[in-house]
Amino acid sequence: MNSMLPDFTPNVLIFLSHDIGLSYGCYGDPTARTPTVDAVASEGIVFDNHFCHYPLCGPSRANMFTGLEPPRTERFDNRHFFASFRRSGPPGFQTLSERFIGAG
């Protein structure tokens, strides 16, 4: 086992939502009723400055899981599956999931 890795398997939970913005209690919205999300946020990391690179969910998700912007993933609409990019990605390319698997 890699000595740089912790002796436990960390759990990672990523919430991806559409058209919500800051409409959660954990972001200070006084009218939001989001107790479950707020509870999870209180024990994790809440990103205050994350912005999408494209105004559609497909290209934005591809960006989230690859770290590559839409011109690089060539995803500009919601018609293409992310898996098709995975098969033709640049040499040495890894998705976020693959990096987690590689890290144990």
Side-chain angles (χ1 to χ4, degrees), residues 58-59 75-81:
R75 296 295 176 257
F76 301 102
D77 56 40
N78 291 330
R79 292 181 298 156
H80 298 96
F81 291 113

Side-chain angles (χ1 to χ4, degrees), residues 12-85:
V12 176
L13 177 64
I14 298 173
F15 282 97
L16 294 177
S17 60
H18 303 278
D19 302 324
I20 301 280
L22 302 176
S23 300
Y24 290 106
C26 62
Y27 284 116
D29 186 325
T31 59
R33 294 184 180 182
T34 55
T36 304
V37 171
D38 298 342
V40 171
S42 72
E43 295 188 29
I45 298 171
V46 176
F47 293 93
D48 293 324
N49 290 302
H50 181 76
F51 304 92
C52 67
H53 282 94
Y54 210 77
L56 292 172
C57 63
S60 294
R61 285 181 187 213
N63 171 243
M64 175 69 186
F65 287 103
T66 64
L68 302 174
E69 295 175 343
R72 187 78 188 273
T73 62
E74 299 180 356
R75 296 295 176 257
F76 301 102
D77 56 40
N78 291 330
R79 292 181 298 156
H80 298 96
F81 291 113
F82 173 67
S84 63
F85 175 77

